[in-house]
């Protein structure tokens, strides 16, 4: 009796193992897994770096608009709260906070401009021969989300400074400081639309190709 049970266990184990192997052979591999086997493009690397810096510096959290809306409904709608707490953890005065925000805005502008330049080079209108990869487009879309949130965070921080001690902004004009950021952000939005259109045109072209 015990021998039959043992043989049954062995047979069952073999069947399960062969079943898993069959699944592995026919299982489709996700695009994310495929992309991990390919070398990352410069745009992909720069996009990831921008998003990571934005989150680490508390400029943005990367949440979708839907998630942000749910927080507003829940009463947690204070823009830039985490960033402000990050700035004031060592109790600097208002002037020092203003300088920190001004520095971060400049850093964000420089980083966003670099990512924009890499993304723009992938547009057909800028002489790109190959179509942008899905992974690159998705990462750049994340950049636009993070940059938009960062812009709101910086604006909210300048407003807090003005309300706390307006004299701290005597040498810093928030409108002028944020103006180049607004231009880069608008450019990023136009680029992401162009990249998406380029991807779509490739899909449509493949559908129109005659089949043999």
């Amino acid at each position: 009796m015990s021998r039959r049970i043992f043989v049954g266990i062995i047979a069952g184990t073999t069947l399960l193992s062969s079943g898993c192997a069959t699944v592995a052979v026919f299982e489709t591999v996700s695009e994310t897994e495929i992309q991990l086997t390919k070398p990352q493009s410069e745009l992909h690397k720069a996009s990831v770096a921008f998003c990571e810096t934005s989150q680490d510096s508390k400029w943005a959290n990367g949440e979708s608009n839907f998630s942000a809306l749910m927080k507003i409904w829940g009463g947690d709608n204070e823009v830039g709260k985490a960033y402000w707490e990050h700035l004031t953890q060592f109790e600097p005065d208002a002037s020092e906070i203003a300088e920190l925000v001004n520095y971060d805005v400049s850093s964000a502008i420089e980083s966003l401009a670099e990512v924009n330049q890499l993304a723009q080079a992938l547009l057909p209108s800028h002489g790109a021969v190959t179509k942008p990869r899905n992974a690159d487009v998705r990462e750049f879309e994340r950049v636009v989300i993070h940059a938009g949130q960062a812009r709101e965070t910086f604006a909210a921080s300048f407003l807090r400074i003005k309300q706390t001690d307006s004299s701290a902004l005597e040498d810093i004009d928030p409108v002028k400081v944020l103006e180049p950021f607004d231009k880069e952000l608008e450019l990023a939005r136009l680029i992401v639309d162009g990249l998406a259109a380029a991807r779509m045109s490739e899909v449509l072209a493949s559908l129109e190709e005659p089949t043999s």
Side-chain angles (χ1 to χ4, degrees), residues 77-152:
N77 60 344
E78 191 172 356
V79 177
K81 180 180 179 181
Y83 179 63
W84 185 259
E85 292 175 349
H86 174 69
L87 290 175
T88 58
Q89 60 182 324
F90 298 116
E91 300 183 355
D93 59 38
S95 297
E96 291 173 329
I97 296 174
E99 289 294 338
L100 289 171
V101 178
N102 186 44
Y103 176 82
D104 282 348
V105 173
S106 298
S107 298
I109 293 170
E110 183 178 355
S111 297
L112 182 57
E114 291 176 358
V115 182
N116 278 346
Q117 186 175 10
L118 292 170
Q120 204 167 29
L122 298 179
L123 293 173
S125 58
H126 283 68
V129 178
T130 58
K131 302 297 182 184
R133 298 189 305 182
N134 280 334
D136 292 339
V137 176
R138 282 198 302 271
E139 283 303 322
F140 188 65
E141 287 173 345
R142 292 182 64 240
V143 168
V144 175
I145 292 173
H146 282 76
Q149 293 174 350
R151 200 280 181 197
E152 293 180 356

Side-chain angles (χ1 to χ4, degrees), residues 1-12:
M1 178 65 178
S2 59
R3 185 175 185 277
R4 286 199 297 269
I5 293 174
F6 178 75
V7 172
I9 292 173
I10 295 297

Side-chain angles (χ1 to χ4, degrees), residues 10-212:
I10 295 297
T13 304
T14 303
L15 178 61
L16 289 173
S17 299
S18 63
C20 290
T22 303
V23 171
V25 170
F26 293 101
E27 186 179 26
T28 57
V29 181
S30 68
E31 183 180 354
T32 302
E33 293 171 332
I34 293 174
Q35 291 297 340
L36 289 175
T37 65
K38 296 181 179 179
Q40 292 183 347
S41 68
E42 292 303 313
L43 173 59
H44 194 282
K45 293 177 184 177
S47 297
V48 170
F50 181 88
C51 294
E52 288 180 348
T53 299
S54 297
Q55 293 187 25
D56 292 343
S57 303
K58 311 301 181 184
W59 303 343
N61 54 30
E63 291 182 346
S64 66
N65 291 333
F66 178 76
S67 298
L69 184 60
M70 291 300 292
K71 281 193 171 183
I72 291 175
W73 286 345
D76 186 14
N77 60 344
E78 191 172 356
V79 177
K81 180 180 179 181
Y83 179 63
W84 185 259
E85 292 175 349
H86 174 69
L87 290 175
T88 58
Q89 60 182 324
F90 298 116
E91 300 183 355
D93 59 38
S95 297
E96 291 173 329
I97 296 174
E99 289 294 338
L100 289 171
V101 178
N102 186 44
Y103 176 82
D104 282 348
V105 173
S106 298
S107 298
I109 293 170
E110 183 178 355
S111 297
L112 182 57
E114 291 176 358
V115 182
N116 278 346
Q117 186 175 10
L118 292 170
Q120 204 167 29
L122 298 179
L123 293 173
S125 58
H126 283 68
V129 178
T130 58
K131 302 297 182 184
R133 298 189 305 182
N134 280 334
D136 292 339
V137 176
R138 282 198 302 271
E139 283 303 322
F140 188 65
E141 287 173 345
R142 292 182 64 240
V143 168
V144 175
I145 292 173
H146 282 76
Q149 293 174 350
R151 200 280 181 197
E152 293 180 356
T153 294
F154 295 143
S157 298
F158 278 131
L159 180 59
R160 280 174 176 264
I161 295 170
K162 183 178 181 180
Q163 294 171 341
T164 303
D165 184 359
S166 59
S167 64
L169 296 176
E170 287 181 354
D171 299 325
I172 298 175
D173 184 347
V175 175
K176 290 184 178 180
V177 170
L178 291 171
E179 185 176 355
F181 194 7
D182 289 336
K183 291 181 179 179
E184 289 296 336
L185 180 56
E186 180 60 25
L187 176 59
R189 288 168 174 160
L190 293 173
I191 293 173
V192 79
D193 287 343
L195 293 176
R199 290 293 306 172
M200 181 57 66
S201 65
E202 182 181 31
V203 172
L204 293 176
S206 65
L207 292 175
E208 293 173 357
E209 290 179 356
T211 57
S212 54

